[in-house]
Amino acid sequence: MRQTITKLLMAFFVAASLAGCASGPTPQDIANADYGTPVEKESTDAQLKSYFEGHLKDPYSAQYEFGVPEKGYMISSSFEGRQLYAGYIVTARVNAKNSYGGYVGMQTYQFLFQNGKLVRGNHLSPSGLANRLF
């Protein structure tokens, strides 16, 4: 049992160190990225509300704060090859009720739109760590 745990831990550390070696996009890649066409705030708000309606326990209780779309990019994790995703980013804050009927508090999200379509989303933890939604 102890040997199995040791082997698993070693395999994890080797995989983590190899994933850390993945190089990200260069400044030239970022400058040359296809950001797509600008997107209107009304369109992003409607798409985000639609997304949350399909993912919240009680979507009718949701309180939203949507930011203005800004040109930007996201870089995927090391495990995904640190790919560059360019477009227009919208920061959203959402407070909704959970299964027990209580509000969970404002949660922060970032979404990426390209050519008017919602293509990527992250939930931001209070420490700023991004957890991929899709």
Side-chain angles (χ1 to χ4, degrees):
M1 180 71 168
R2 179 180 263 180
Q3 288 179 338
T4 303
I5 292 173
T6 302
K7 287 180 184 178
L8 287 173
L9 284 173
M10 289 189 66
F12 171 77
F13 287 122
V14 168
S17 66
L18 289 176
C21 294
S23 63
T26 65
Q28 185 176 7
D29 292 335
I30 294 168
N32 295 333
D34 176 16
Y35 290 84
T37 57
V39 63
E40 297 294 325
K41 182 172 177 14
E42 295 78 22
S43 173
T44 61
D45 291 358
Q47 289 183 60
L48 292 176
K49 282 183 182 178
S50 178
Y51 168 79
F52 282 111
E53 285 175 0
H55 290 85
L56 294 173
K57 294 273 185 188
D58 184 359
Y60 302 107
S61 70
Q63 301 166 347
Y64 300 104
E65 294 176 8
F66 296 127
V68 176
E70 296 180 6
K71 188 175 180 180
Y73 60 90
M74 293 180 177
I75 299 173
S76 66
S77 71
S78 299
F79 294 107
E80 296 174 298
R82 305 213 16 98
Q83 294 180 18
L84 174 70
Y85 296 91
Y88 289 82
I89 295 177
V90 174
T91 300
R93 297 188 60 208
V94 180
N95 189 12
K97 291 182 180 180
N98 60 19
S99 300
Y100 300 105
Y103 279 95
V104 297
M106 283 292 192
Q107 302 290 308
T108 305
Y109 301 86
Q110 281 190 330
F111 295 95
L112 183 74
F113 291 83
Q114 189 173 56
N115 295 320
K117 293 184 179 181
L118 180 59
V119 294
R120 197 163 178 86
N122 292 323
H123 176 250
L124 301 180
S125 70
S127 65
L129 181 66
N131 298 308
R132 185 170 173 210
L133 298 171
F134 59 91

